[in-house]
Amino acid sequence: QVQVVESGGGLVQPGGSLRLSCVASGSIFGIYGMAWYRQAPESQRELVARISSTGSTNYTDSVKGRFTMSRANGKNTVYLQMNNLKPEDTGVYYCNMILYGIHYWGKGTLVTVSS
């Protein structure tokens, strides 16, 4: 069994910063790629950033230069540093891990960017 738990969401003003954390635990042997998705109200879930098992990262265009995804050394623990937040970044942020072809999701953490 695999558990994925996110934390770090909250309310922030435009231009502010937040750092999200995600811990994957359970029957995991090795280091695996992980990703952050978000879902805005009345919108589909979209990929925000992902990191491979070797640490390479990719970002959706709308967050490039503002968000940084990283991993704790040797752990299935990842972070999403979000700077210069905009109202359109508002949504529920989900952490994802694919293990043996199965997607594991956390319950999400809400990020609200508003003045």
Side-chain angles (χ1 to χ4, degrees):
Q1 187 123 8
V2 174
Q3 298 82 37
V4 178
V5 179
E6 309 97 336
S7 61
L11 172 64
V12 63
Q13 292 185 341
S17 298
L18 279 176
R19 188 190 195 214
L20 306 183
S21 300
C22 171
V23 178
S25 61
S27 301
I28 305 171
F29 302 97
I31 303 301
Y32 293 88
M34 298 178 70
W36 286 99
Y37 287 73
R38 68 184 177 193
Q39 187 165 16
E42 301 181 1
S43 297
Q44 290 188 333
R45 193 173 296 188
E46 64 169 345
L47 176 65
V48 176
R50 59 186 175 189
I51 189 166
S52 72
S53 59
T54 58
S56 61
T57 53
N58 296 95
Y59 302 91
T60 192
D61 286 346
S62 63
V63 308
K64 285 181 181 177
R66 300 187 298 122
F67 290 13
T68 302
M69 186 172 184
S70 60
R71 178 193 294 275
N73 284 341
K75 297 182 179 180
N76 289 303
T77 298
V78 294
Y79 308 98
L80 186 67
Q81 178 66 43
M82 306 186 293
N83 298 328
N84 190 21
L85 282 160
K86 303 177 181 181
E88 51 263 42
D89 295 317
T90 293
V92 179
Y93 284 68
Y94 297 92
C95 184
N96 169 269
M97 167 183 272
I98 303 175
L99 186 62
Y100 306 126
I102 300 173
H103 285 259
Y104 293 93
W105 295 92
K107 293 183 178 180
T109 184
L110 177 63
V111 172
T112 303
V113 185
S114 175
S115 56

